[in-house]
Amino acid sequence: MKFLITDDNLSMRKLIRQSLWSSTDEVLECESGNVSIHYMTEFKPDVVLMDFHPEKYKQTPIVQQIRNIHPSATIIMISDYDTPAFREFAIREGASAFF
């Protein structure tokens, strides 16, 4: 399986990677949603794990762009901010799940 981890925090990316890695998986990491768009076109991950920041959620609709490039990708938004409004926003924008 191919995973793309998008988080501006290097330590968090490493922790997520260690949590899911197996010898048969391919995992790429990047620090921003804009960089993840580049990886989507070339890497075509099965699962995208993306950090969700409430102060940035009204910016460029990265989830929609990812969906346009690779509609079958599973997009999981990850955040410390677990509110119904953010959860609803992520799902409405096209995320498969919000944790």
Side-chain angles (χ1 to χ4, degrees):
M1 188 167 267
K2 291 180 169 183
F3 292 94
L4 175 60
I5 302 167
T6 303
D7 195 311
D8 60 346
N9 183 320
L10 177 62
S11 297
M12 185 57 72
R13 289 196 314 262
K14 299 296 179 196
L15 178 65
I16 293 169
R17 182 184 197 119
Q18 290 172 348
S19 298
L20 13 120
W21 187 82
S22 80
S23 61
T24 59
D25 293 330
E26 293 180 62
V27 181
L28 282 180
E29 301 174 25
C30 63
E31 68 281 351
S32 74
N34 292 328
V35 175
S36 69
I37 296 300
H38 170 73
Y39 283 130
M40 290 304 299
T41 58
E42 298 193 12
F43 183 58
K44 300 276 191 213
D46 302 300
V47 178
V48 178
L49 297 145
M50 182 174 290
D51 187 25
F52 178 85
H53 290 284
E55 63 275 5
K56 298 178 183 176
Y57 82 95
K58 291 184 179 177
Q59 295 177 1
T60 309
I62 298 296
V63 175
Q64 291 174 4
Q65 290 179 41
I66 290 171
R67 284 270 176 244
N68 289 338
I69 294 167
H70 192 23
S72 64
T74 298
I75 303 169
I76 301 172
M77 303 296 286
I78 302 168
S79 181
D80 290 338
Y81 305 93
D82 187 15
T83 68
F86 296 144
R87 194 175 283 279
E88 291 167 14
F89 176 82
I91 300 301
R92 186 174 59 248
E93 291 298 303
S96 304
F98 182 95
F99 294 99

